[in-house]
Amino acid sequence: MTLQGVLNADLGQGSINRNIYGHFSEHLGRCIYEGIWVGEDSPIPNTNGIRNDVLEALKKIKIPVLRWPGGCFADEYHWKDGIGPKEARKEMINTHWGGVVENNHFGTHEFMDLCAQLGCEPYINGNVGSGTVQEMSEWVEYLTFGGKSPMSDLRSQNGHEEPWKVTYFGVGNENWGCGGNMRPEYYADLYRRFQTYVRNYDDNKIHRIACGPNSDDYNWTEVLMREAGRFMDSITLHYYTVPKDWNNKGGATGFDEELWFETLKKALHMDELITRHSTIMDKYDPEGRVGLIVDEWGTWYDVEPGTNPGFLYQQNTMRDALVAGLTFHIFHKHSGRVRMANIAQTVNVLQAVILTEGEKMILTPTYHVFDMYKVHQDAELLELSLDGGSYKMGDEEIPAVTATASRDAQGAIHISFCNLQADSANQVKLDLRGLASCEPSITGSTLTGDKIDAHNTFEQPEAVAPRAFTDFVLENGTLSVTLPAMSVTTLELAVKA
Ligand code: AHR
């Protein structure tokens, strides 16, 4: 089908916070251990224990911010167990994730080093569920206090004299569930108390993040904003795309087109969630001071057969690429409120961008979308309207195509499209208005596959990879683009000086 749209290149809508392209890495399965941390003595090439291949891959997509140590793990993590000489660090049972013994070799210093090597901002999630106010307060002192104090002395003893810079600090995680099964009224009071002792030391200014709702729990947002809104800088939202239901989620591969459609429909639900939570936030915070941070999102399938059910290891296909692309379009649309998002999770867990097996590493289709979309980081969102047409399945329909556009600091315009339709190409005719030049030079890249569950394996790591895209023509101010079936495409319009 042919779809019509308009891009107003001179109508900026505000900036797309680069932190929307953030990540989340938990002590879960093989995300931190094996996926990121292999230890200094590993035969896998590493820098201070962090594997080099993963570092390089993450640097390439310009990872802006990384959330750690959980997730559910955060509310049973005691940070003092993860500092000091590694051989003396206390072990613990990771009760949420497979009941495995955690040796605490990856702790505060290792995480801060990881962020320094990546050139990204740390986002640390504190423990409210099983921790104390003192423990949280001392962690912040240990991290950021530059003067002489018990915690800064301890930090120096452990080899880091200078304080680190930490902006983002989460006060609990999923406190409605794994983080303590609390009622919103109770958590709101606890949040107010805990955050009081999350101090700003020296010139380090902490952005305090409150635990927000699960999916469509609007009452949680209402109560938190009413009771504690003025004490927070941001509130979180968690939403996972589960194709079927939580007891039988469906596999990462081997699905049919009906399930493809259902998955994309559920991913599109993010738009309604953000809209409705934002409406509640608007009521208590009409100036838009408080941000909405979607710090867990992505697909959640049944684990790969034969793997530990507590490790949440799943493959990643073109379906995941589409989920990522259309979700970014939704985040861009809401970039006034949505100031950060963190995909769950970076390596080997859920909708990972990287999978590893021993010394081998592959990049998933989702990785390639992050790579193709990095041009939107901190760019100015542009007004784009598109009649996205209809992709129908039985009685249901979703847009066949979604799109977004932005202008970067150099003036280049990037337009990204998702063709959700699994079985047919679609043409988009975009009326380009307000361009500085009538003859921009255009280049493009697209990601598609030969079947709906096309994916990369350790044997075929390049089965799904972006390729140059030339199926477009600009004539009389109208850009006609033919998008392959099930594809994610980005065009760059470079305006000649
Ligand atoms: O990302 C996996 C888990 O999902 C996180 O630990 C938790 O916060 C959420 O329920």
Side-chain angles (χ1 to χ4, degrees), residues 97-144:
W97 307 119
V100 293
V101 174
E102 152 78 53
N103 65 14
N104 269 312
H105 282 193
F106 189 89
T108 301
H109 290 250
E110 291 73 23
F111 174 66
M112 295 307 288
D113 180 49
L114 168 65
C115 292
Q117 291 195 52
L118 288 171
C120 78
E121 292 230 45
Y123 165 12
I124 292 184
N125 211 120
N127 178 348
V128 171
S130 71
T132 63
V133 175
Q134 179 179 5
E135 184 182 9
M136 187 179 285
S137 163
E138 287 185 339
W139 200 3
V140 175
E141 180 186 327
Y142 186 90
L143 285 158
T144 61

Short mmCIF file of all heavy atoms in Angstrom, two decimals, residues 97-144:
data_model
loop_
_atom_site.label_atom_id
_atom_site.label_comp_id
_atom_site.label_asym_id
_atom_site.label_seq_id
_atom_site.Cartn_x
_atom_site.Cartn_y
_atom_site.Cartn_z
N TRP A 97 17.11 -14.94 40.91
CA TRP A 97 17.54 -15.37 39.58
C TRP A 97 18.35 -16.65 39.64
O TRP A 97 19.58 -16.64 39.61
CB TRP A 97 18.30 -14.24 38.88
CG TRP A 97 17.50 -12.97 38.87
CD1 TRP A 97 17.82 -11.78 39.43
CD2 TRP A 97 16.19 -12.79 38.29
NE1 TRP A 97 16.82 -10.87 39.24
CE2 TRP A 97 15.80 -11.46 38.54
CE3 TRP A 97 15.32 -13.63 37.58
CZ2 TRP A 97 14.57 -10.95 38.10
CZ3 TRP A 97 14.09 -13.11 37.16
CH2 TRP A 97 13.74 -11.79 37.41
N GLY A 98 17.62 -17.75 39.77
CA GLY A 98 18.23 -19.08 39.65
C GLY A 98 18.84 -19.59 40.94
O GLY A 98 19.37 -20.70 40.97
N GLY A 99 18.81 -18.81 42.01
CA GLY A 99 19.34 -19.26 43.29
C GLY A 99 20.83 -19.55 43.27
O GLY A 99 21.36 -20.28 44.10
N VAL A 100 21.53 -18.93 42.32
CA VAL A 100 22.97 -19.19 42.21
C VAL A 100 23.74 -18.36 43.24
O VAL A 100 23.23 -17.35 43.75
CB VAL A 100 23.50 -18.84 40.79
CG1 VAL A 100 22.92 -19.79 39.75
CG2 VAL A 100 23.17 -17.39 40.43
N VAL A 101 24.96 -18.80 43.52
CA VAL A 101 25.77 -18.07 44.49
C VAL A 101 26.52 -16.96 43.76
O VAL A 101 27.17 -17.19 42.74
CB VAL A 101 26.74 -19.02 45.24
CG1 VAL A 101 27.68 -18.22 46.13
CG2 VAL A 101 25.94 -20.01 46.08
N GLU A 102 26.37 -15.78 44.29
CA GLU A 102 26.99 -14.57 43.72
C GLU A 102 28.27 -14.31 44.52
O GLU A 102 28.21 -14.23 45.75
CB GLU A 102 25.96 -13.43 43.90
CG GLU A 102 26.49 -12.04 44.03
CD GLU A 102 26.89 -11.44 42.69
OE1 GLU A 102 26.07 -11.44 41.77
OE2 GLU A 102 28.04 -10.96 42.61
N ASN A 103 29.39 -14.15 43.83
CA ASN A 103 30.64 -13.95 44.59
C ASN A 103 30.98 -12.47 44.81
O ASN A 103 32.01 -12.15 45.41
CB ASN A 103 31.81 -14.70 43.94
CG ASN A 103 32.14 -14.14 42.56
OD1 ASN A 103 31.70 -13.05 42.19
ND2 ASN A 103 32.92 -14.89 41.79
N ASN A 104 30.14 -11.61 44.31
CA ASN A 104 30.34 -10.17 44.52
C ASN A 104 31.64 -9.62 43.94
O ASN A 104 32.10 -8.55 44.36
CB ASN A 104 30.24 -9.82 46.01
CG ASN A 104 28.80 -9.47 46.40
OD1 ASN A 104 28.15 -8.68 45.73
ND2 ASN A 104 28.31 -10.09 47.46
N HIS A 105 32.19 -10.32 42.95
CA HIS A 105 33.43 -9.81 42.34
C HIS A 105 33.18 -8.56 41.49
O HIS A 105 34.09 -7.79 41.23
CB HIS A 105 34.10 -10.89 41.49
CG HIS A 105 34.84 -11.87 42.34
ND1 HIS A 105 35.74 -12.78 41.85
CD2 HIS A 105 34.82 -12.09 43.68
CE1 HIS A 105 36.24 -13.50 42.84
NE2 HIS A 105 35.69 -13.10 43.96
N PHE A 106 31.97 -8.41 41.01
CA PHE A 106 31.62 -7.19 40.29
C PHE A 106 30.83 -6.33 41.27
O PHE A 106 29.69 -6.63 41.64
CB PHE A 106 30.77 -7.52 39.05
CG PHE A 106 30.55 -6.34 38.15
CD1 PHE A 106 31.45 -6.05 37.12
CD2 PHE A 106 29.46 -5.50 38.31
CE1 PHE A 106 31.25 -4.96 36.28
CE2 PHE A 106 29.25 -4.40 37.48
CZ PHE A 106 30.14 -4.14 36.47
N GLY A 107 31.45 -5.25 41.72
CA GLY A 107 30.81 -4.37 42.71
C GLY A 107 30.91 -2.92 42.26
O GLY A 107 31.08 -2.62 41.07
N THR A 108 30.87 -2.04 43.24
CA THR A 108 30.82 -0.60 42.94
C THR A 108 32.01 -0.13 42.08
O THR A 108 31.82 0.58 41.08
CB THR A 108 30.80 0.20 44.27
OG1 THR A 108 29.66 -0.21 45.01
CG2 THR A 108 30.75 1.69 44.02
N HIS A 109 33.23 -0.52 42.47
CA HIS A 109 34.40 -0.04 41.72
C HIS A 109 34.38 -0.56 40.29
O HIS A 109 34.73 0.16 39.35
CB HIS A 109 35.70 -0.46 42.43
CG HIS A 109 35.91 0.26 43.72
ND1 HIS A 109 36.90 1.21 43.90
CD2 HIS A 109 35.25 0.18 44.90
CE1 HIS A 109 36.85 1.67 45.14
NE2 HIS A 109 35.85 1.06 45.77
N GLU A 110 34.00 -1.84 40.15
CA GLU A 110 34.00 -2.45 38.82
C GLU A 110 32.92 -1.80 37.95
O GLU A 110 33.13 -1.54 36.76
CB GLU A 110 33.76 -3.97 38.93
CG GLU A 110 34.91 -4.75 39.57
CD GLU A 110 35.03 -4.54 41.09
OE1 GLU A 110 34.02 -4.17 41.73
OE2 GLU A 110 36.15 -4.74 41.63
N PHE A 111 31.77 -1.51 38.55
CA PHE A 111 30.70 -0.86 37.77
C PHE A 111 31.12 0.54 37.34
O PHE A 111 30.91 0.95 36.19
CB PHE A 111 29.39 -0.81 38.57
CG PHE A 111 28.32 -0.02 37.87
CD1 PHE A 111 27.77 -0.47 36.67
CD2 PHE A 111 27.86 1.19 38.37
CE1 PHE A 111 26.79 0.26 36.00
CE2 PHE A 111 26.88 1.93 37.71
CZ PHE A 111 26.34 1.46 36.53
N MET A 112 31.70 1.28 38.27
CA MET A 112 32.10 2.65 37.92
C MET A 112 33.20 2.63 36.86
O MET A 112 33.25 3.51 35.99
CB MET A 112 32.54 3.42 39.17
CG MET A 112 31.43 3.65 40.18
SD MET A 112 29.94 4.43 39.50
CE MET A 112 30.53 6.09 39.23
N ASP A 113 34.07 1.63 36.92
CA ASP A 113 35.11 1.50 35.89
C ASP A 113 34.47 1.16 34.54
O ASP A 113 34.87 1.68 33.50
CB ASP A 113 36.12 0.43 36.31
CG ASP A 113 37.23 0.27 35.28
OD1 ASP A 113 37.79 1.30 34.87
OD2 ASP A 113 37.50 -0.88 34.85
N LEU A 114 33.48 0.28 34.57
CA LEU A 114 32.77 -0.07 33.33
C LEU A 114 32.19 1.19 32.69
O LEU A 114 32.36 1.43 31.48
CB LEU A 114 31.65 -1.09 33.65
CG LEU A 114 30.63 -1.35 32.54
CD1 LEU A 114 31.29 -2.00 31.32
CD2 LEU A 114 29.49 -2.25 33.05
N CYS A 115 31.52 2.02 33.50
CA CYS A 115 30.92 3.24 32.94
C CYS A 115 32.00 4.18 32.41
O CYS A 115 31.82 4.80 31.35
CB CYS A 115 30.07 3.95 34.00
SG CYS A 115 28.60 3.02 34.45
N ALA A 116 33.11 4.27 33.13
CA ALA A 116 34.20 5.15 32.65
C ALA A 116 34.73 4.63 31.31
O ALA A 116 34.95 5.41 30.38
CB ALA A 116 35.31 5.20 33.69
N GLN A 117 34.91 3.32 31.21
CA GLN A 117 35.43 2.77 29.95
C GLN A 117 34.43 2.96 28.80
O GLN A 117 34.82 3.15 27.66
CB GLN A 117 35.76 1.29 30.11
CG GLN A 117 36.96 1.02 31.01
CD GLN A 117 37.47 -0.41 30.84
OE1 GLN A 117 37.71 -0.85 29.72
NE2 GLN A 117 37.64 -1.12 31.94
N LEU A 118 33.14 2.89 29.14
CA LEU A 118 32.12 3.06 28.10
C LEU A 118 31.88 4.53 27.78
O LEU A 118 31.27 4.86 26.76
CB LEU A 118 30.79 2.46 28.55
CG LEU A 118 30.70 0.94 28.61
CD1 LEU A 118 29.40 0.50 29.27
CD2 LEU A 118 30.79 0.34 27.20
N GLY A 119 32.30 5.41 28.71
CA GLY A 119 32.00 6.83 28.53
C GLY A 119 30.51 7.09 28.72
O GLY A 119 29.93 7.96 28.06
N CYS A 120 29.87 6.31 29.62
CA CYS A 120 28.43 6.53 29.84
C CYS A 120 28.18 6.93 31.29
O CYS A 120 29.06 6.81 32.15
CB CYS A 120 27.64 5.28 29.48
SG CYS A 120 27.70 3.97 30.71
N GLU A 121 26.99 7.40 31.55
CA GLU A 121 26.63 7.82 32.91
C GLU A 121 26.15 6.62 33.72
O GLU A 121 25.38 5.79 33.21
CB GLU A 121 25.48 8.83 32.85
CG GLU A 121 25.91 10.13 32.24
CD GLU A 121 25.48 11.29 33.11
OE1 GLU A 121 25.65 11.23 34.34
OE2 GLU A 121 24.96 12.24 32.53
N PRO A 122 26.56 6.53 34.98
CA PRO A 122 26.03 5.47 35.82
C PRO A 122 24.64 5.82 36.35
O PRO A 122 24.39 6.98 36.66
CB PRO A 122 27.04 5.41 36.98
CG PRO A 122 27.65 6.77 37.02
CD PRO A 122 27.57 7.35 35.64
N TYR A 123 23.79 4.85 36.45
CA TYR A 123 22.50 4.99 37.11
C TYR A 123 22.44 3.84 38.13
O TYR A 123 22.35 2.68 37.76
CB TYR A 123 21.38 4.92 36.07
CG TYR A 123 19.96 4.71 36.58
CD1 TYR A 123 19.61 4.81 37.94
CD2 TYR A 123 18.93 4.43 35.67
CE1 TYR A 123 18.30 4.62 38.37
CE2 TYR A 123 17.62 4.23 36.09
CZ TYR A 123 17.31 4.32 37.44
OH TYR A 123 16.02 4.10 37.86
N ILE A 124 22.58 4.22 39.39
CA ILE A 124 22.67 3.22 40.45
C ILE A 124 21.33 3.09 41.15
O ILE A 124 20.70 4.09 41.50
CB ILE A 124 23.79 3.59 41.46
CG1 ILE A 124 25.14 3.47 40.72
CG2 ILE A 124 23.75 2.71 42.69
CD1 ILE A 124 26.35 3.71 41.58
N ASN A 125 20.90 1.84 41.32
CA ASN A 125 19.61 1.60 41.98
C ASN A 125 19.83 1.10 43.40
O ASN A 125 20.40 0.03 43.61
CB ASN A 125 18.82 0.59 41.16
CG ASN A 125 17.32 0.82 41.26
OD1 ASN A 125 16.67 1.05 40.24
ND2 ASN A 125 16.77 0.82 42.46
N GLY A 126 19.40 1.88 44.38
CA GLY A 126 19.59 1.53 45.79
C GLY A 126 18.54 0.54 46.30
O GLY A 126 17.53 0.28 45.64
N ASN A 127 18.81 0.04 47.49
CA ASN A 127 18.02 -1.02 48.11
C ASN A 127 17.07 -0.44 49.18
O ASN A 127 17.53 0.02 50.22
CB ASN A 127 19.00 -2.02 48.73
CG ASN A 127 18.33 -3.18 49.46
OD1 ASN A 127 17.14 -3.16 49.71
ND2 ASN A 127 19.13 -4.19 49.79
N VAL A 128 15.79 -0.49 48.90
CA VAL A 128 14.80 -0.09 49.91
C VAL A 128 14.18 -1.33 50.55
O VAL A 128 13.94 -1.40 51.75
CB VAL A 128 13.69 0.79 49.27
CG1 VAL A 128 12.54 1.02 50.24
CG2 VAL A 128 14.26 2.13 48.82
N GLY A 129 13.96 -2.37 49.71
CA GLY A 129 13.23 -3.56 50.15
C GLY A 129 13.85 -4.26 51.34
O GLY A 129 13.16 -4.63 52.29
N SER A 130 15.19 -4.47 51.30
CA SER A 130 15.83 -5.20 52.41
C SER A 130 17.01 -4.42 52.97
O SER A 130 17.81 -4.95 53.72
CB SER A 130 16.31 -6.58 51.93
OG SER A 130 17.42 -6.43 51.06
N GLY A 131 17.11 -3.15 52.57
CA GLY A 131 18.24 -2.33 53.02
C GLY A 131 17.79 -1.31 54.06
O GLY A 131 16.62 -1.22 54.42
N THR A 132 18.75 -0.54 54.51
CA THR A 132 18.43 0.49 55.50
C THR A 132 18.74 1.87 54.92
O THR A 132 19.48 2.01 53.95
CB THR A 132 19.30 0.33 56.77
OG1 THR A 132 20.67 0.51 56.39
CG2 THR A 132 19.12 -1.05 57.40
N VAL A 133 18.18 2.86 55.60
CA VAL A 133 18.46 4.24 55.20
C VAL A 133 19.95 4.52 55.33
O VAL A 133 20.57 5.13 54.46
CB VAL A 133 17.66 5.21 56.10
CG1 VAL A 133 18.02 6.64 55.79
CG2 VAL A 133 16.17 5.00 55.93
N GLN A 134 20.54 4.01 56.41
CA GLN A 134 21.97 4.25 56.64
C GLN A 134 22.81 3.65 55.50
O GLN A 134 23.74 4.28 54.99
CB GLN A 134 22.38 3.63 57.97
CG GLN A 134 23.87 3.82 58.25
CD GLN A 134 24.28 3.23 59.58
OE1 GLN A 134 23.49 2.60 60.27
NE2 GLN A 134 25.54 3.43 59.94
N GLU A 135 22.43 2.43 55.09
CA GLU A 135 23.19 1.75 54.03
C GLU A 135 23.13 2.55 52.72
O GLU A 135 24.13 2.74 52.04
CB GLU A 135 22.58 0.35 53.86
CG GLU A 135 23.30 -0.53 52.86
CD GLU A 135 22.59 -1.89 52.72
OE1 GLU A 135 21.48 -2.08 53.25
OE2 GLU A 135 23.19 -2.75 52.05
N MET A 136 21.93 3.04 52.41
CA MET A 136 21.80 3.81 51.17
C MET A 136 22.57 5.12 51.27
O MET A 136 23.28 5.54 50.34
CB MET A 136 20.33 4.07 50.86
CG MET A 136 20.12 4.71 49.51
SD MET A 136 18.38 5.00 49.12
CE MET A 136 17.82 3.36 48.74
N SER A 137 22.43 5.75 52.42
CA SER A 137 23.08 7.03 52.62
C SER A 137 24.61 6.89 52.54
O SER A 137 25.31 7.71 51.93
CB SER A 137 22.62 7.56 53.98
OG SER A 137 23.44 8.55 54.42
N GLU A 138 25.12 5.80 53.13
CA GLU A 138 26.58 5.60 53.11
C GLU A 138 27.09 5.25 51.71
O GLU A 138 28.23 5.55 51.36
CB GLU A 138 26.96 4.50 54.11
CG GLU A 138 26.85 5.00 55.55
CD GLU A 138 27.33 4.00 56.58
OE1 GLU A 138 27.40 2.79 56.29
OE2 GLU A 138 27.63 4.44 57.71
N TRP A 139 26.24 4.61 50.92
CA TRP A 139 26.66 4.29 49.54
C TRP A 139 26.89 5.59 48.77
O TRP A 139 27.89 5.75 48.07
CB TRP A 139 25.61 3.41 48.85
CG TRP A 139 26.12 2.63 47.66
CD1 TRP A 139 27.40 2.59 47.19
CD2 TRP A 139 25.35 1.78 46.81
NE1 TRP A 139 27.49 1.76 46.10
CE2 TRP A 139 26.23 1.25 45.84
CE3 TRP A 139 24.01 1.41 46.76
CZ2 TRP A 139 25.82 0.36 44.84
CZ3 TRP A 139 23.60 0.51 45.76
CH2 TRP A 139 24.49 0.01 44.82
N VAL A 140 25.95 6.52 48.94
CA VAL A 140 26.08 7.81 48.24
C VAL A 140 27.32 8.56 48.74
O VAL A 140 28.06 9.15 47.97
CB VAL A 140 24.78 8.64 48.42
CG1 VAL A 140 24.93 10.02 47.80
CG2 VAL A 140 23.60 7.90 47.78
N GLU A 141 27.55 8.49 50.06
CA GLU A 141 28.75 9.14 50.63
C GLU A 141 30.01 8.49 50.06
O GLU A 141 30.96 9.17 49.66
CB GLU A 141 28.71 9.00 52.15
CG GLU A 141 29.89 9.62 52.87
CD GLU A 141 29.86 9.31 54.38
OE1 GLU A 141 28.76 9.21 54.97
OE2 GLU A 141 30.96 9.14 54.96
N TYR A 142 30.02 7.16 50.00
CA TYR A 142 31.17 6.41 49.49
C TYR A 142 31.46 6.80 48.04
O TYR A 142 32.60 7.01 47.63
CB TYR A 142 30.87 4.92 49.59
CG TYR A 142 32.01 3.98 49.22
CD1 TYR A 142 32.91 3.55 50.19
CD2 TYR A 142 32.18 3.50 47.92
CE1 TYR A 142 33.94 2.67 49.88
CE2 TYR A 142 33.20 2.63 47.60
CZ TYR A 142 34.08 2.21 48.58
OH TYR A 142 35.11 1.34 48.27
N LEU A 143 30.38 6.94 47.28
CA LEU A 143 30.54 7.24 45.85
C LEU A 143 30.98 8.68 45.60
O LEU A 143 31.84 8.93 44.75
CB LEU A 143 29.20 7.01 45.12
CG LEU A 143 28.78 5.56 44.88
CD1 LEU A 143 27.27 5.47 44.66
CD2 LEU A 143 29.53 4.97 43.69
N THR A 144 30.39 9.63 46.35
CA THR A 144 30.49 11.01 45.87
C THR A 144 31.14 12.01 46.83
O THR A 144 31.34 13.17 46.44
CB THR A 144 29.08 11.55 45.51
OG1 THR A 144 28.26 11.54 46.69
CG2 THR A 144 28.41 10.72 44.44
#
